[in-house]
Structures are given as structure tokens and as C-alpha cells.
Amino acid sequence: MTQADTLTIFDTTLRDGEQAPGCSMTLQEKLRMGRALADLGVDVIEAGFPASSPGDFESVQTLAREIEGPTICGLARCNPGDIDRTAEAIADAKARRIHVFIATSPIHLEHKLNMTKSEVLAEAIKGVEQARGLCDDVEFSAEDALRTEPEYLAEVFEAAIAAGATTVNVPDTVGYTMPGEMRKLVAYLVDNVKGIGDVTISTHCHDDLGLAVANSLSAVSAGARQVECTINGIGERAGNCSLEEVVMAIRTRPDLYPVTTNIDTTRLYPTSRLLTTVTGMQVARNKAIVGANAFAHEAGIHQHGMLKHSETYEIMRPQDVGIVGTNLVLGKHSGRHALRDRAAELGYELDDAELARAFKRFKALADKKKEVFDSDIEALVLRANVGTLGPWSIEALHTTSASDAKSSAQVRLSHTNGDVAEGSARGNGPVEAAFCAIEEAVDLKPRLEAFDVHSVSVGEDAQGEVSVTLEYDGKTFRGQGVRTDIIEAGARAFLQAINRIESHRERSRSDRASRTQGAA
């Protein structure tokens, strides 16, 4: 086998991933994820779409200034204003890229752009030329490439390369294609596009038919040397190609894929868990690589084989992806160093401030639980910087419940501006009563779409993790809470989602003000 090439891992968790309903992030959350992605070893971070809003511009600019290691990329339409805005946002990055795109499929040309093929070709050339004049690293994407005529796609890519593109991306924008079709198209482009051997071929696959990873791997086998993906596969509709899955497929099957990556695979699980904490979007238990059941064996014949030799039923080791095999138990007499050391073994490095916050919650938890397990510690550490993610926090919560009467709840909230708000309500159970009391306190009435509970660890005194999804103003917002008291965990999850709504409203007001000032 020939010497392996390096496959560029282009992570778009903070751009395409964040577009998934309920996955919006605050600036501080994006920074935290950006640092985690840098530690993971991704080559390119697509930090956002700077021209889409002042908030997105600020996020991209902040990541460009503060994240070191990966190339920081901003997305832009083949539009002069978009490209200038993106160049400005990424200007302070040590390594930067402008990613321009325009649709090329007949359905997009007719129904979205209302443009001819020649007009799209001209816009693509102008966009790439402008971007190349502002940045040496330019990626060009032909949106909906897999539903574009191959001959026309080749013509557009050839023109983009001549105009200065250093990467050409073949997106399966709607998750329509099959692996054989992807392999055939990339091979066709390799054979028919002048100059394509001098640039990087990329692919960006969506998972509408559950084939994003398979299609990405097919593109790699045909010559692509960049894969665009997200942590946990989050993204629009059914999501994107899952970073952890494509990376581990390549690592596990070097006989089929003569490429390597710069990913530190032991950081995959911690990064996945961080994203679930930031977005509130849980990973399915049977999710490949990072799901709770990914390395679990219950069937007797499997357990017997595992005891004899792990490779009988495991093609990779849990520790390869950052899942620690032991479950060291800490208690109320354990100190800061023990907590920090165990967190480090689990893949989480804490600075002094994070340790102080996590240790305070650890001691409070240890007073309630007989034993604190790894999963408990992980939950504490991941939330050391999360809090309530907004202006409101719970000062006091009191609920009552009886089998023959409605439940009641009283809550007192504090605001970062010093205000205090109180609410009381009755409901069909203490959880509903607590939610209604919070709604009364903040004077906000979102619609509850989902309420999920699962145990963080084991035992009667286990922590419960509650996730809620709220709908407000046509958008969805998620929140999480972890406590030994499920009602309190639910209230904190509900309030976290409320805070996300408040942050969204504040950004919307700020964006409207900026547009008004610009118009003036």
C-alpha cells in the first residue's frame, strides 16, 4: 500500500451544526467548543457565516482571535458584501480561509436563484477571484453538487480553480446520493477537471438517508482529501457526516482507506459529551463510537467472547475514543487534587476557576450521595462553565405534591442585573407546577415540546439528567439540568431553555438595531 495521505478534517459544528433546531450557542459556548475542537486536532473550524448577522460576525471574529491551531474559516455566498464581511471577521486568525458557495443544480438554478448556467458560472468566478484577493486559502462549494449535471459541475470547478480556489467541495446538500454515485462523481471530476490535481477535493454530506458517513468514505476512496463533518453528526434536518464515525472508520480500516488524520481520537468522547452539554441534544444510546451502548455487551455469548478476548466483539477499544474503562469512586472526603486527577483521566483538563466551581458542586453532591461515580464527575465537570447560560438563576424552589390534589410550586429567581422575580403556580404534578411558576416569574410563555429524563449514574441516589425542548417564536430551544432531585433538575433545565430564549431575543434586538443604524 502506498504511503498514507493526510485527510483534512473540516469541522462545521459551529456553522452547519449550529443551524440544527435547538442547537444555537452563545458566544462563550462557541469559544468553549472551539477550544475543544482545537484540542481534538481538527484541521479547519468553520466558525460561522459572518454576513448572516452581527452576532455571527462577532462569533467568527472572536474565534479567529482566540483559537490557535486550526485554520479558522468563514462561509460566504458568492456575493461581494458577504466575502468582504467574512474577510474582516477572520482577519486576525493565524491561519484563515474564506469558503464561498453558489448552487449549481437545475432545481436550485430555476427555483432558488432564477439564474442561467452561464450567470452562475460568472458569479462563481467573480466570488473566488474576490476571495483570493483577500485570502490565500479559498474553498469553493457547488451547492447541491450531486444533483448537478457532471459536465456542468466539472466546468464550474475548472473555472473556480483557474480563479484561485485551493479547495473544491462536492456537497450532497440534501442527502440524496448513494455511495456508488458519490464515488463515480468524484472519480469523474478527478479525470475531467483541469488543475484538480493541484487542489484539495472535499465533500460535505448530509444524512437524510442515513448515508452521510458512507458517502464521505466513498469520496475519500475516489480521491477526496477533505471531509466536512460535525461532532455527533449534528446539523440541518437529519444532520451531517459524523466526525467521530468517519475518523474511526478510517483508523479501523487502513486496508481500505490509505489516509490518516491529525485527530487525537482519545478526545472524541469528551468532545462529544461537551457538545451534548452545550446544546442539550442527547446522543442516542446506540450511536456509533460515542453512544452509551457502543461498548456495552449484554448477550451471554458476547460476554463470554469478551472475557476470552476483547477483539471477538470489539473492533476498537473504548480507550481509543476516550472512554475510560475503570470507574473510580470518590466520596465526600476526597479533595480537590483527587477530583482534578480523575477529571484529567476522563479527558477533561480544569483550570483553577473551573476546578473551584466543579469542586463546590462535587462536595454538595457528595453530601447527598454515598458514592460519586465517573459519570457523576463527568456531569459536574462539563457543567463547570455552563451554569444557567443566561440572566436568570434559581435562588429558591419549593414544591408540594399529593396523590389526591394538584401540585403547587413557588420559585424565586435572581437576574444578573440585580432584579428578583417570584412566581407560584399549580399543576398536574410538581414538574408542571415548577415550570408554570418559572413562566409566571419571567413573564414568558413558551410551548413545551419535549421532556426527557435519564440517570447519570447508578443506584437509588443517582443523579438524574433532564432535557427539555421549548418552542418560542417559531424556534426551538433546549435546556439541561442535573441533580439528585428530578424536580429541581427539570426546573433548572427549563430555566436554561428560558435563558436561551432570552439570549435569542437580545441578539434579535441587537441585530435589528444594527440594521437600523446601517440603514441610517
Side-chain angles (χ1 to χ4, degrees):
M1 189 172 72
T2 59
Q3 184 177 4
D5 294 331
T6 299
L7 179 70
T8 297
I9 298 299
F10 178 111
D11 184 274
T12 185
T13 301
L14 300 180
R15 200 278 301 170
D16 201 331
E18 201 213 10
Q19 292 176 197
C23 286
S24 61
M25 306 178 204
T26 66
L27 175 57
Q28 289 306 312
E29 289 171 334
K30 285 189 175 184
L31 267 175
R32 196 177 185 199
M33 277 307 305
R35 293 189 179 105
L37 293 171
D39 291 342
L40 180 62
V42 305
D43 301 288
V44 183
I45 295 176
E46 188 167 51
F49 191 169
S52 64
S53 71
D56 225 38
F57 177 88
E58 181 187 10
S59 296
V60 175
Q61 187 176 62
T62 303
L63 265 74
R65 290 172 174 171
E66 299 199 22
I67 302 299
E68 295 186 1
T71 295
I72 304 299
C73 174
L75 183 69
R77 293 166 296 189
C78 284
N79 172 299
D82 277 22
I83 296 168
D84 284 340
R85 191 73 168 150
T86 299
E88 183 183 355
I90 64 172
D92 294 327
K94 291 184 178 179
R96 53 190 179 272
R97 174 183 296 186
I98 296 177
H99 180 188
V100 297
F101 73 95
I102 193 169
T104 54
S105 68
I107 193 167
H108 277 242
L109 265 63
E110 179 181 356
H111 297 289
K112 188 178 81 169
L113 298 180
N114 193 27
M115 295 171 65
T116 65
K117 289 181 177 180
S118 59
E119 288 172 333
V120 166
L121 180 62
E123 288 299 308
I125 293 170
K126 286 194 297 183
V128 172
E129 287 178 341
Q130 180 186 353
R132 189 57 191 267
L134 298 168
C135 183
D136 291 335
D137 188 353
V138 175
E139 177 171 341
F140 171 76
S141 284
E143 187 182 6
D144 205 21
L146 270 297
R147 293 193 297 177
T148 301
E149 305 94 323
E151 298 80 10
Y152 178 59
L153 186 65
E155 181 183 2
V156 174
F157 277 151
E158 189 167 308
I161 293 169
T166 52
T167 297
V168 290
N169 183 41
V170 186
D172 184 16
T173 303
V174 294
Y176 174 76
T177 198
M178 296 289 138
E181 294 172 313
M182 174 63 81
R183 186 180 297 108
K184 182 179 178 180
L185 178 60
V186 173
Y188 173 84
L189 296 171
V190 169
D191 291 339
N192 291 277
V193 176
K194 181 179 179 181
I196 203 165
D198 299 322
V199 303
T200 299
I201 303 173
S202 175
T203 188
H204 177 118
C205 297
H206 280 262
D207 208 35
D208 297 73
L209 293 175
L211 294 169
V213 172
N215 283 326
S216 298
L217 292 170
S218 292
V220 171
S221 67
R225 287 300 178 263
Q226 175 176 285
V227 169
E228 304 191 2
C229 43
T230 63
I231 301 297
N232 296 342
I234 68 168
E236 295 258 27
R237 303 182 311 280
N240 287 274
C241 172
S242 166
L243 183 150
E244 58 276 5
E245 292 179 25
V246 78
V247 165
M248 291 309 294
I250 286 166
R251 173 178 166 142
T252 305
R253 297 303 306 271
D255 55 320
L256 295 180
Y257 304 104
V259 294
T260 60
T261 74
N262 292 318
I263 296 297
D264 176 0
T265 62
T266 65
R267 302 294 309 165
L268 288 171
Y269 180 74
T271 308
S272 166
R273 289 292 295 129
L274 175 61
L275 183 64
T276 64
T277 301
V278 166
T279 63
M281 181 177 284
Q282 293 295 319
V283 169
R285 294 187 66 86
N286 64 332
K287 167 79 166 64
I289 315 301
V290 294
N293 291 351
F295 295 94
H297 302 274
E298 185 169 336
I301 191 170
H302 284 212
Q303 292 176 349
H304 177 74
M306 285 292 296
L307 290 172
K308 294 292 186 180
H309 197 289
S310 63
E311 288 186 14
T312 54
Y313 286 102
E314 284 188 352
I315 58 173
M316 55 195 137
R317 302 176 304 166
Q319 54 265 42
D320 291 340
V321 300
I323 299 175
V324 180
T326 60
N327 198 20
L328 182 67
V329 178
L330 300 182
K332 65 181 180 179
H333 299 298
S334 301
R336 288 174 183 262
H337 290 298
L339 178 62
R340 173 175 263 165
D341 290 346
R342 190 58 191 151
E345 290 177 20
L346 293 170
Y348 306 99
E349 297 294 334
L350 300 175
D351 61 29
D352 291 341
E354 290 169 338
L355 178 63
R357 286 189 290 268
F359 186 70
K360 181 178 179 180
R361 291 188 59 186
F362 166 75
K363 296 300 283 186
L365 179 63
D367 283 336
K368 296 179 180 179
K369 291 187 53 141
K370 297 176 182 178
E371 298 173 321
V372 180
F373 296 99
D374 286 348
S375 51
D376 293 311
I377 295 169
E378 184 180 73
L380 291 173
V381 168
L382 287 171
R383 287 158 182 81
N385 269 343
V386 175
T388 54
L389 299 173
W392 292 108
S393 59
I394 294 176
E395 279 195 2
L397 172 68
H398 178 75
T399 62
T400 60
S401 182
S403 61
D404 58 351
K406 280 204 166 190
S407 299
S408 63
Q410 298 82 42
V411 65
R412 185 170 69 252
L413 308 178
S414 60
H415 196 281
T416 51
N417 64 9
D419 289 346
V420 174
E422 296 183 346
S424 60
R426 297 170 66 82
N428 295 315
V431 172
E432 183 186 29
F435 288 3
C436 291
I438 291 173
E439 289 179 343
E440 180 181 275
V442 300
D443 192 24
L444 199 63
K445 297 289 185 182
R447 183 173 67 86
L448 179 65
E449 288 192 339
F451 176 86
D452 300 299
V453 183
H454 75 273
S455 176
V456 169
S457 54
V458 297
E460 294 180 356
D461 58 356
Q463 290 192 98
E465 183 171 40
V466 175
S467 298
V468 301
T469 303
L470 305 182
E471 187 275 330
Y472 182 81
D473 194 26
K475 299 181 181 297
T476 56
F477 301 86
R478 289 186 173 88
Q480 284 182 300
V482 178
R483 287 293 187 277
T484 53
D485 183 331
I486 291 297
I487 299 170
E488 183 185 357
R492 292 184 180 278
F494 190 82
L495 187 61
Q496 188 182 92
I498 290 288
N499 278 326
R500 290 183 186 275
I501 293 173
E502 293 285 15
S503 296
H504 166 71
R505 295 170 74 190
E506 182 59 35
R507 285 197 303 271
S508 297
R509 284 191 291 266
S510 177
D511 290 351
R512 285 195 297 270
S514 297
R515 287 193 293 268
T516 300
Q517 291 173 0

